[in-house]
Amino acid sequence: MDYSTKISSQIQGLPRSGIRDFFELVIGRTDVISLGVGEPDKPTPWSIREAAIRSLERGQTSYTSNLGLESLRHAITGYVEQQFGMGYDAKKEVLVTVGVSEALDLAFRALLNPGDEVIFHEPCYVSYSPSIRMAYGVPVVVNTREENEFALMAEDLEKVITPRSRVLVLNFPTNPTGGIMPRDELERVAALAVKHDLIVITDEIYSELLYDDRVHHSIVTLPGMRERTILLHGFSKAFAMTGWRLGYACAPAPLIEAMMKVHQYCMLCAPIMSQMAGLEALKLGRSAFEDMRQSYEQRRNLIVRRLNEMGLHCFNPGGAFYVFPEIRSTGLSSKEFAIQLLEAKSVAVVPGTAFGQAGEGFVRCCYATAPDLIAKAMDLMEAFVNEVRNRNLEPVAVAPATSAR
Ligand code: PMP
């Protein structure tokens, strides 16, 4: 059968995730040190796992309310108030989802009419553009630059706003750069969102993982923003709960109601055992991840120092668990660098282009890996870089400042 005639052209037109494609090269190899997939290297804290086990033992295996367990929604509003300084009504303004992934999909499907433009900053998480396209929206990219430590410049944002712009997606700290937003720039971006009547989806999944005593500022707290912001957060990163598939959206009731409609037909509810685990995670709060955060900060210091010492320029990112060193000086493209490093030294990093064209000239390294493995990976990378430099290749061209697609 010719399946290409059976599969929607919309889906056929979507690229596969560059990260997953790259990691198929690594699967089955036990000799590889992976600085690749972005997930904590430790399992979920024991008491959280235990809460889920207990709930199963009690026979809690049913559906929950479409919105999620009311007790969990209450815990979420308490946590969000503490973490972001914003209050929500647990009955009408919170929706529990299957990860931030589902929440993003629900938000786009609930908000977009065909042809509506959604602006997001690149390099960025791989799913934004495909999720927008699956909701028949038009992805519009605004590039961020290393010279600004990958913060979104309001000036660059303004250039891509058109009368069709409906939504702006923000993600700070950012996957894949670790970049954060200076408060004054965030204020300028918020002012543009108000001026152009944009809805802002803020993906706050790394907001707990901040370093050097930084305090997180979410755009939702800025003047005029609460009514136009969908705040997305989840348990995957800070609580090391990627496999539980649990997240949530907080927003004004009409937006949550619209997202809930999609959710109730496509997902019904998040799994009850994951919701019970999430409840326990929020009871623990910061104590569940503060040690981990401190340990990430030390690993970040180690990896940033080693990369700069080997001549791969790397700014010191304020958050998440990624560094985004520039590899142009080697004369290799991002993909060549990642593939040759894997072949020559069995170290896996992700080509920057997996996160959009603005990632050319960079690779992403996830440092949620044991410090001794990071040190070993850095020794191997340094040897690789020296070998490549001896080949005397031409440096790779710089990406343009802004582009749309
Ligand atoms: N947003 C960003 C920026 C991410 O990096 C990820 C996961 N890597 C997600 C969303 C998806 O998270 P979840 O596990 O909650 O679906």
Side-chain angles (χ1 to χ4, degrees):
M1 185 181 284
D2 178 5
Y3 289 106
S4 66
T5 62
K6 306 292 179 203
I7 296 168
S8 105
S9 46
Q10 176 81 353
I11 299 303
Q12 287 192 55
L14 291 181
R16 279 162 42 121
S17 158
I19 305 188
R20 294 286 149 195
D21 263 2
F22 191 70
F23 276 87
E24 281 184 7
L25 300 174
V26 178
I27 288 172
R29 287 185 56 178
T30 50
D31 58 323
V32 172
I33 302 181
S34 180
L35 305 180
V37 176
E39 71 180 331
D41 63 330
K42 293 269 167 26
T44 308
W46 170 244
S47 66
I48 299 176
R49 285 183 270 158
E50 202 178 23
I53 294 167
R54 290 269 152 75
S55 110
L56 274 173
E57 281 173 351
R58 282 196 300 271
Q60 290 178 303
T61 55
S62 60
Y63 293 133
T64 69
S65 142
N66 295 134
L67 288 172
L69 291 168
E70 199 170 332
S71 53
L72 178 60
R73 282 182 278 135
H74 275 290
I76 288 170
T77 54
Y79 184 78
V80 165
E81 174 118 45
Q82 200 186 27
Q83 170 70 11
F84 301 102
M86 182 52 70
Y88 287 96
D89 180 342
K91 285 200 185 314
K92 300 188 296 222
E93 296 185 314
V94 180
L95 174 64
V96 178
T97 60
V98 178
V100 171
S101 304
E102 191 215 352
L104 280 163
D105 183 45
L106 299 179
F108 294 134
R109 288 208 265 166
L111 294 173
L112 300 179
N113 287 312
D116 285 345
E117 292 178 0
V118 180
I119 304 170
F120 56 96
H121 50 96
E122 262 187 11
C124 70
Y125 179 47
V126 290
S127 86
Y128 295 155
S129 177
S131 302
I132 294 162
R133 283 165 65 186
M134 284 191 285
Y136 299 95
V138 178
V140 175
V141 171
V142 50
N143 284 355
T144 56
R145 292 186 295 275
E146 213 267 353
E147 69 201 64
N148 302 316
E149 301 192 343
F150 294 101
L152 172 61
M153 297 291 110
E155 192 190 346
D156 293 336
L157 171 61
E158 193 154 28
K159 285 186 201 140
V160 301
I161 296 176
T162 75
R164 307 258 10 207
S165 306
R166 287 282 309 277
V167 177
L168 169 66
V169 182
L170 298 178
N171 170 228
F172 294 101
T174 306
N175 174 9
T177 62
I180 54 170
M181 273 298 266
R183 170 99 190 183
D184 53 350
E185 207 56 47
L186 196 65
E187 283 168 4
R188 283 192 275 276
V189 166
L192 282 177
V194 173
K195 179 173 161 198
H196 295 278
D197 196 21
L198 303 177
I199 293 285
V200 173
I201 299 175
T202 182
D203 176 347
E204 304 271 356
I205 193 157
Y206 295 102
S207 60
E208 289 91 350
L209 302 180
L210 278 183
Y211 310 119
D212 312 311
D213 300 321
R214 284 187 173 84
V215 177
H216 183 67
H217 298 293
S218 170
I219 195 162
V220 72
T221 57
L222 297 180
M225 292 310 297
R226 190 191 188 279
E227 61 173 0
R228 62 181 65 254
T229 300
I230 301 179
L231 186 151
L232 305 185
H233 199 17
F235 297 79
S236 287
K237 309 293 169 165
F239 293 101
M241 289 178 67
T242 49
W244 300 84
R245 313 306 307 122
L246 193 65
Y248 50 90
C250 297
L255 298 180
I256 288 295
E257 174 64 22
M259 288 171 68
M260 203 274 284
K261 267 198 213 163
V262 187
H263 174 75
Q264 73 183 5
Y265 295 126
C266 78
M267 200 62 68
L268 216 154
C269 65
I272 189 169
M273 42 298 247
S274 297
Q275 295 194 51
M276 293 306 292
L279 195 55
E280 174 65 20
L282 296 183
K283 266 187 212 147
L284 296 175
R286 289 200 79 82
S287 69
F289 55 77
E290 183 50 26
D291 287 354
M292 212 55 210
R293 192 199 62 76
Q294 285 175 18
S295 142
Y296 289 147
E297 181 162 341
Q298 284 161 10
R299 298 179 208 187
R300 179 207 59 168
N301 295 345
L302 166 69
I303 200 166
V304 168
R305 178 174 58 75
R306 289 295 310 270
L307 288 165
N308 282 302
E309 278 170 6
M310 72 179 82
L312 295 183
H313 171 68
C314 180
F315 81 102
N316 196 22
F321 42 46
Y322 307 107
V323 285
F324 208 57
E326 195 187 321
I327 51 85
R328 265 183 208 118
S329 62
T330 61
L332 298 176
S333 70
S334 300
K335 204 162 178 186
E336 287 166 344
F337 185 98
I339 288 175
Q340 291 182 25
L341 176 65
L342 181 63
E343 280 169 357
K345 304 290 178 194
S346 300
V347 173
V349 298
V350 185
T353 43
F355 310 98
Q357 267 318 301
E360 183 54 273
F362 298 85
V363 293
R364 187 190 79 174
C365 309
C366 172
Y367 55 82
T369 299
D372 57 328
L373 287 180
I374 294 176
K376 191 154 175 228
M378 290 299 104
D379 291 344
L380 291 163
M381 200 189 279
E382 184 164 13
F384 171 74
V385 167
N386 288 336
E387 284 161 26
V388 173
R389 289 225 168 97
N390 289 335
R391 292 190 222 148
N392 286 328
L393 299 169
E394 286 293 310
V396 169
V398 182
T402 55
S403 66
R405 62 158 201 234

